[in-house]
Amino acid sequence: GRVCTVANGTAGCSGGACTVAACNGGFANCNNNPADGCEINVTNNVSNCGACGNVCSTPNGTPGCAGSACTVAGCNGGWGNCDGNIPNGCETNLTNNVSNCGGCGVICSTPNGTPGCAGSACNVAACNGGFGNCDGNIPNGCETNLNTNVSNCGSCGRVCSIANGTAGCSGGACTVAACNAGFANCNNNAADGCEIN
């Protein structure tokens, strides 16, 4: 009258002792104890994923197990699984990667300069020669031509002004573009403008 039963599987009897003859699909007897039968659901157990002893791990994140396969359940803050590869986990540092800044696929760009990424936000790492980020706006990059802009001549905020005339900017240096009527720049020095009446 002693009936063998196995949770999540088929019972057997060997040498007068109940055994696990087989486990149902998706279950396994990982502790080799017939008393609790096929105790592990290997379809969603991160310590026994797909088979007993197959431990899922996720660098820089939290492992998962679904459909008997290891997955990335989540990434730690500042990290992303941008290549979609499960074994290397959350491989991308989103805080300083210009191709994945703050999120996978977020590419930083800087017109007339070099992009940067810090604290998961795009920034301007450097401007090309002759250009400046004078408005402090990241998306438009180094928008100002410092060689020709009279309000930012040679550097941001350097305004050209000419006595008795109109200022210009050439090669990053202030120049005299024109003199007012009755004045002239006789010494060819932009610093004193149109100095002669």
Side-chain angles (χ1 to χ4, degrees), residues 23 27 33 39 41 44 47 61 63 68 75 81 100 109 130 175 182 187:
C23 288
F27 288 88
N33 183 358
E39 80 285 356
N41 183 341
N44 60 15
S47 299
S68 298
C75 290
N81 180 21
N100 302 280
S109 65
T175 61
N187 64 3

Side-chain angles (χ1 to χ4, degrees), residues 172-189:
C174 292
T175 61
V176 175
C179 287
N180 295 344
F183 289 88
N185 179 19
C186 294
N187 64 3
N188 290 318
N189 184 354

Side-chain angles (χ1 to χ4, degrees), residues 61-168:
T62 303
C65 177
S68 298
C70 290
T71 63
V72 174
C75 290
N76 296 343
W79 294 88
N81 180 21
C82 296
D83 65 2
N85 190 355
I86 304 302
N88 67 2
C90 304
E91 80 293 339
T92 303
N93 186 336
L94 303 176
T95 65
N96 61 13
N97 187 306
V98 294
S99 298
N100 302 280
C101 189
C104 292
V106 178
I107 300 172
C108 299
S109 65
T110 299
N112 305 311
T114 303
C117 176
S120 299
C122 292
N123 60 35
V124 176
C127 288
N128 296 344
F131 288 89
N133 180 21
C134 297
D135 64 2
N137 191 354
I138 303 302
N140 67 2
C142 303
E143 80 292 339
T144 303
N145 187 332
L146 302 177
N147 290 319
T148 59
N149 189 301
V150 293
S151 297
N152 301 279
C153 190
S155 63
C156 291
R158 182 175 179 231
V159 180
C160 295
S161 63
I162 297 297
N164 306 311
T166 302

Side-chain angles (χ1 to χ4, degrees), residues 2-7 9-23 29 33-35 37-38:
R2 182 178 178 225
V3 180
C4 295
T5 59
V6 169
T10 303
C13 180
S14 177
C18 291
T19 61
V20 175
C23 288
N29 179 19
N33 183 358
C38 302

Side-chain angles (χ1 to χ4, degrees), residues 26 30 39-58 61-74 86:
C30 294
E39 80 285 356
I40 299 295
N41 183 341
V42 294
T43 64
N44 60 15
N45 188 295
V46 294
S47 299
N48 302 278
C49 189
C52 294
N54 185 34
V55 179
C56 298
S57 66
T58 298
T62 303
C65 177
S68 298
C70 290
T71 63
V72 174
I86 304 302

